[in-house]
Amino acid sequence: KNEVEQSPQNLTAQEGEFITINCSYSVGISALHWLQQHPGGGIVSLFMLSSGKKKHGRLIATINIQEKHSSLHITASHPRDSAVYICAVRSEGTYKYIFGTGTRLKVLA
Amino acid sequence: NAGVTQTPKFQVLKTGQSMTLQCAQDMNHEYMSWYRQDPGMGLRLIHYSVGAGITDQGEVPNGYNVSRSTTEDFPLRLLSAAPSQTSVYFCASSSLGSYSNQPQHFGDGTRLSIL
C-alpha cells in the first residue's frame, strides 16, 4: 500500500461542474502540498497546508490532520483545468517528500 | 527570474554511458532535490540537499550521484546508465525559512532514454 493514495485516478467532468479530488496518507507529516502537472509536463505548486483550509480563486484545499486526509476542490470547472493533480506530503521530521500517483482530470466543454 | 532551469530537456544514452543532468536556481533556495517520474508511479525522490556541501539520499538513490558546491547548482550524475533509468527527471527547489510553508519550484524536466 502506498503511503499517499489519491482518488479517483481518472476523472472526466463537464464544464461548470464541482470537482473533488481526495488524498489520504498513512505517515506523520509536517505539510501537505497540492501540485498541478500540465499536459506539457510542467509542475506548479497550488497549495501548501498544515491545517485547515486554503482558497485561491476557484480552487479550495482542505486538510484533516486527525483523519490523515486532504481534498482539493475545483468550483465551476473549465477545460483549462484539465491536468494531473498531485498530492505530496513532507514526512514529519525530515526533508523528504512522498508523492501520490496523481489524478488525471479532463474537463469537457 | 529564471526560476529552476534544467538542461538538457531531452537526452538519449547508450547503456553504460555516463552523463550529468544540470539544475540551477536563481532564488537563493537552500533546499534542492531531484525526482524521477515513471508511468503509473508518483514522483520519487532520488537525492536532496539542504545547503551547499550537504546532500542526502532519497528513496531511489542507487546509480546516481549528486554534489552541491554552490547554493545555485545541484547536478545529478548517472554513473553508468541502465535502461531502468529511462525516466523523466525533475529538479525542484524551495526555501527552508518556515518549515512547512514554502512551495517547491520545479524545473521543466529532462526526458532521458537509455538504449
Side-chain angles (χ1 to χ4, degrees):
Chain A
K1 192 178 188 313
N2 293 335
E3 293 168 303
V4 179
E5 298 272 2
Q6 288 185 236
S7 63
Q9 288 187 312
N10 294 283
L11 181 57
T12 300
Q14 292 294 324
E15 183 173 0
E17 284 187 11
F18 181 85
I19 289 163
T20 296
I21 299 170
N22 296 298
C23 175
S24 296
Y25 53 92
S26 57
V27 296
I29 70 168
S30 55
L32 182 143
H33 296 241
W34 281 102
L35 310 168
Q36 182 190 54
Q37 185 169 26
H38 292 283
I43 300 173
V44 296
S45 179
L46 298 175
F47 293 104
M48 300 147 292
L49 297 161
S50 54
S51 63
K53 176 180 176 178
K54 287 191 176 181
K55 184 176 188 292
H56 185 256
R58 294 180 294 106
L59 301 178
I60 302 167
T62 64
I63 188 169
N64 185 316
I65 297 293
Q66 286 73 28
E67 294 186 3
K68 295 189 173 180
H69 181 269
S70 176
S71 294
L72 176 68
H73 305 286
I74 304 175
T75 62
S77 58
H78 190 276
R80 65 174 174 265
D81 296 326
S82 298
V84 176
Y85 291 84
I86 300 169
C87 173
V89 301
R90 189 168 180 175
S91 186
E92 190 173 28
T94 78
Y95 293 104
K96 297 181 180 180
Y97 288 86
I98 307 168
F99 292 74
T101 55
T103 294
R104 187 174 299 275
L105 171 65
K106 186 171 185 179
V107 181
L108 304 176
Chain B
N1 257 354
V4 179
T5 303
Q6 283 186 241
T7 55
K9 293 195 187 311
F10 302 94
Q11 184 71 47
V12 179
L13 292 178
K14 294 181 179 178
T15 298
Q17 286 185 315
S18 62
M19 81 159 293
T20 299
L21 307 186
Q22 301 292 344
C23 176
Q25 52 92 9
D26 60 0
M27 297 170 282
N28 204 32
H29 285 165
E30 301 93 338
Y31 183 84
M32 295 187 74
S33 53
W34 277 102
Y35 300 94
R36 58 178 291 172
Q37 186 176 40
D38 300 296
M41 305 183 75
L43 281 85
R44 291 182 292 168
L45 180 64
I46 304 171
H47 286 284
Y48 68 95
S49 168
V50 297
I54 306 169
T55 63
D56 205 348
Q57 296 181 350
E59 181 185 352
V60 287
N62 292 340
Y64 307 95
N65 268 2
V66 292
S67 60
R68 183 99 179 265
S69 56
T70 67
T71 300
E72 294 78 19
D73 299 299
F74 191 45
L76 178 72
R77 297 182 188 84
L78 279 71
L79 308 173
S80 177
S84 60
Q85 293 178 304
T86 294
S87 189
V88 181
Y89 291 84
F90 287 95
C91 178
S93 74
S94 68
S95 170
L96 287 177
S98 172
Y99 191 76
S100 66
N101 258 351
Q102 305 305 315
Q104 287 208 80
H105 298 258
F106 286 82
D108 291 335
T110 296
R111 190 173 297 272
L112 181 64
S113 293
I114 315 294
L115 305 178

